[in-house]
């Protein structure tokens, strides 16, 4: 599926669910640093997303935190109350969420037909705005973090805000 088609699929799903959003299309970016070079509005809404798995490769997690937060997987594991964590492979990312490297986003749950990826969103976003990719790293979408959580839940995936 082409980038534009992935973006349109996400926008259509959000619209059908009644989620208001603001979309900015841009060149493909693969890191937070590259995102910051784009000079998008409201950098305080910026998030980074990590696709993780447990040490038994049985459970998959999508972790969404403020983009300026350092990540310590041992600390994350303790906060989440799960087995030891590591980064999932790009093959797993594609199989579970239909995404590629650089495009990781909680909106990928629309492709998770098994509903087996649990999403954890940094509690600092609760009640505010968040910006994530719309299943393509050629766009950034701004929306309510609370509405994002409702949307994820409506797709059939577990989601929770967590203190990190």
């Amino acid at each position: 599926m082409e980038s534009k088609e992935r973006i349109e699929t996400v926008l259509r799903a959000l619209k059908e669910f009644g989620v208001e959003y603001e979309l900015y299309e841009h060149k493909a970016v693969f890191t937070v640093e590259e995102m910051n070079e784009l000079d998008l509005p409201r950098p305080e809404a910026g998030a980074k997303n990590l696709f993780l798995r447990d040490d038994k490769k049985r459970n998959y997690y999508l972790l969404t935190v403020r983009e300026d937060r350092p990540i310590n997987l041992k600390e994350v594991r303790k906060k989440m109350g799960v087995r030891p964590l590591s980064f999932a492979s790009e093959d797993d990312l594609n199989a579970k969420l239909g995404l590629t490297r650089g495009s990781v986003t909680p909106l990928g749950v629309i492709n998770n037909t098994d509903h087996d990826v649990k999403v954890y969103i940094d509690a600092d976003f609760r009640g505010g705005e968040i910006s994530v990719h719309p299943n393509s790293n050629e766009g950034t979408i701004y929306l309510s973090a609370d509405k994002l959580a409702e949307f994820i839940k409506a797709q059939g995936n577990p989601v929770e805000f967590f203190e990190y």
Side-chain angles (χ1 to χ4, degrees):
M1 189 182 305
E2 294 294 317
S3 177
K4 292 271 188 203
E5 191 177 349
R6 287 192 303 265
I7 292 172
E8 288 172 12
T9 299
V10 167
L11 298 181
R12 194 169 33 257
L14 290 172
K15 194 174 215 171
E16 287 173 9
F17 194 71
V19 176
E20 292 182 24
Y21 60 83
E22 190 176 333
L23 171 69
Y24 291 86
E25 294 185 81
H26 49 71
K27 69 177 184 172
V29 293
F30 295 89
T31 65
V32 169
E33 291 77 23
E34 289 177 11
M35 280 291 299
N36 290 336
E37 289 174 9
L38 296 175
D39 198 32
L40 292 172
R42 305 185 303 282
E44 67 281 359
K48 64 181 166 188
N49 301 281
L50 307 173
F51 188 55
L52 307 169
R53 64 164 176 81
D54 68 16
D55 61 340
K56 300 287 187 186
K57 296 184 181 182
R58 292 187 193 143
N59 298 294
Y60 290 84
Y61 309 96
L62 196 142
L63 177 66
T64 300
V65 298
R66 292 218 177 265
E67 68 182 21
D68 59 352
R69 291 220 172 174
I71 300 295
N72 177 319
L73 290 183
K74 288 181 182 179
E75 288 299 314
V76 168
R77 170 189 178 246
K78 287 178 190 172
K79 298 273 185 184
M80 291 166 55
V82 299
R83 297 188 55 81
L85 296 171
S86 64
F87 291 96
S89 70
E90 189 166 357
D91 287 343
D92 287 341
L93 175 63
N94 187 270
K96 295 286 184 183
L97 298 175
L99 301 174
T100 58
R101 183 182 71 79
S103 299
V104 180
T105 173
L107 292 169
V109 299
I110 67 172
N111 300 320
N112 184 225
T113 55
D114 293 335
H115 313 292
D116 60 349
V117 174
K118 184 166 184 177
V119 180
Y120 286 87
I121 301 173
D122 188 330
D124 280 357
F125 285 116
R126 189 183 312 210
E129 185 178 53
I130 189 169
S131 67
V132 296
H133 290 310
N135 287 1
S136 166
N137 62 350
E138 293 181 11
T140 298
I141 192 165
Y142 290 79
L143 67 161
S144 155
D146 296 335
K147 285 288 189 186
L148 173 61
E150 289 174 22
F151 177 80
I152 292 166
K153 188 174 182 178
Q155 303 310 302
N157 290 72
V159 60
E160 71 177 75
F161 285 100
F162 82 111
E163 299 287 337
Y164 178 68

